[in-house]
Amino acid sequence: MRTFYCSFVAFFCLTVSLKTLGLSREDSLSKYDKLDSSDILVASFSYKVGEQELGQGATIQVPEGFRLLDAAQSRLLVESLWGNPENPNTLGVLIPERAGPMDKDFRGFVISFEPSGYLNEQEAGKINYNKLLREMKEELKKENVLRSRKGAGVITSMDWAFPPYFDKDNHMLHWARILHFDGGNPVLNYEVRLLGRRGCLCFTAIGKTADILKIKKQLEQISTAAHFTNGNGYADFNPRTDPSARWTPEETVVGARVLSPDNLLLGLRSTLSMLLVFLCMVLFVYVMQFYHHRRKPTYRKMIDFDERLN
């Protein structure tokens, strides 16, 4: 009797445990089925901490309280999930440890590289930011077409949040734009550019306009955590081999276009062509004179008179 009772209790416990496992499995499967593609993609992300290579000759010491997505995963996040235009120069995204990349109040930082060439300090101080803003607004028209196709918000206008400036000591450009969306609140787009030998490392933050001071402080902390490796820094510029950036004002740009290698070569070709035509004309005149000079004695002989007739 005692053996039967023990067997019955064991069988009952086994049945309950199997049902419990089945229910938990069904619950986990049902939760998984409820996830959409964006949630599944975010769940597959792997993050890095410590000192990491960004590419393009740059490294970063991931600040405390943040984690880093590599370039491939960052492009999936920025382009596929956030709906931004494609940028093959995206190097990473810094995400706070206690936040997710799809949170409503996301406060991460996008890291990219701009292969604009070397920008010396004198030209950096002469940048025509009004002209630059007009060019950005022209590019914005093309960007809005892509954003509307992806179902993202269309940016109706763009303005500077404050006059951009160049930090000469750290070789950094600071500029912040206020983006106005159709039917939405204005958004702050703050960018810090760390100048290097062949371009600049860009740190971009998105947030509320009221948080501009807080975002500026965070960007200063993060941008100083990154640096170019030996041979790729600002001081490693080689004017013989490295390209230079063209961000100077309109008057200087006109002079640069006139003195550009293409225009100089075109002017040289035109000058040589004119010289060739001139030489051909001189040669033609010389040949004609030589020809007439040889025919003169013949004409004289034809009209000579016999002196004996007198």
Side-chain angles (χ1 to χ4, degrees):
M1 187 67 179
R2 185 177 180 181
T3 304
F4 174 76
Y5 177 76
C6 293
S7 301
F8 177 77
V9 172
F11 177 77
F12 178 77
C13 293
L14 180 61
T15 304
V16 172
S17 61
L18 289 175
K19 288 183 178 181
T20 304
L21 289 173
L23 289 174
S24 62
R25 183 181 179 184
E26 289 179 0
D27 292 340
S28 62
L29 290 176
S30 62
K31 291 180 181 179
Y32 184 80
D33 293 337
K34 292 179 181 179
L35 294 176
D36 56 18
S37 57
S38 60
D39 293 329
I40 297 174
L41 186 59
V42 170
S44 67
F45 287 160
S46 58
Y47 302 93
K48 300 178 180 180
V49 294
E51 186 173 359
Q52 300 293 332
E53 292 186 3
L54 294 172
Q56 299 294 343
T59 61
I60 187 172
Q61 179 67 38
V62 179
E64 186 177 354
F66 287 89
R67 45 191 178 155
L68 177 70
L69 277 178
D70 61 19
Q73 296 178 113
S74 297
R75 290 196 62 184
L76 288 175
L77 175 62
V78 175
E79 299 170 10
S80 301
L81 299 183
W82 291 354
N84 291 298
E86 295 182 0
N87 183 8
N89 295 315
T90 299
L91 303 180
V93 176
L94 283 173
I95 300 176
E97 291 180 349
R98 299 182 180 181
M102 299 301 292
D103 289 354
K104 184 178 180 180
D105 296 330
F106 176 74
R107 294 186 178 275
F109 302 90
V110 179
I111 306 173
S112 60
F113 182 78
E114 181 67 28
S116 54
Y118 176 82
L119 179 65
N120 63 47
E121 296 179 355
Q122 294 180 352
E123 290 188 356
K126 298 178 181 179
I127 296 177
N128 189 336
Y129 290 106
N130 293 329
K131 178 177 179 292
L132 180 62
L133 184 62
R134 290 196 298 268
E135 294 176 353
M136 289 181 177
K137 289 181 178 180
E138 290 297 325
E139 295 178 358
L140 185 62
K141 297 178 181 179
K142 301 177 182 179
E143 183 178 333
N144 279 333
V145 175
L146 299 176
R147 293 179 67 89
S148 59
R149 291 177 181 175
K150 293 184 177 182
V154 176
I155 303 173
T156 57
S157 63
M158 177 193 307
D159 300 295
W160 292 121
F162 58 80
Y165 66 92
F166 175 63
D167 182 0
K168 186 176 180 180
D169 295 333
N170 298 312
H171 302 114
M172 292 183 182
L173 278 170
H174 287 250
W175 66 46
R177 297 170 293 171
I178 298 178
L179 309 179
H180 300 272
F181 288 84
D182 188 11
N185 296 324
V187 175
L188 176 68
N189 183 299
Y190 198 127
E191 186 171 326
V192 173
R193 295 191 167 205
L194 175 62
L195 303 185
R197 176 180 177 179
R198 299 181 180 88
C200 51
L201 199 61
C202 306
F203 301 87
T204 306
I206 306 295
K208 299 178 181 179
T209 56
D211 298 334
I212 184 171
L213 295 178
K214 183 178 180 180
I215 292 175
K216 178 182 179 181
K217 185 177 181 180
Q218 290 178 332
L219 275 173
E220 290 175 349
Q221 175 189 359
I222 290 173
S223 57
T224 54
H227 65 276
F228 288 99
T229 57
N230 294 334
N232 297 293
Y234 191 81
D236 299 317
F237 172 68
N238 186 347
R240 297 182 179 179
T241 59
D242 300 336
S244 298
R246 296 292 182 185
W247 287 13
T248 49
E250 295 179 356
E251 294 80 9
T252 308
V253 171
V254 172
R257 290 176 180 174
V258 172
L259 299 177
S260 64
D262 294 337
N263 287 334
L264 289 176
L265 183 60
L266 180 61
L268 181 61
R269 289 178 178 175
S270 301
T271 304
L272 291 176
S273 300
M274 293 178 63
L275 288 175
L276 182 61
V277 172
F278 178 75
L279 291 175
C280 290
M281 293 177 63
V282 172
L283 181 62
F284 175 76
V285 172
Y286 176 79
V287 171
M288 293 301 296
Q289 289 181 348
F290 180 78
Y291 176 75
H292 286 291
H293 180 72
R294 294 194 60 181
R295 288 179 59 89
K296 281 183 179 180
T298 305
Y299 287 120
R300 287 179 180 177
K301 290 181 180 180
M302 291 178 63
I303 61 175
D304 281 346
F305 294 98
D306 192 351
E307 298 289 341
R308 292 176 296 175
L309 294 177
N310 294 329

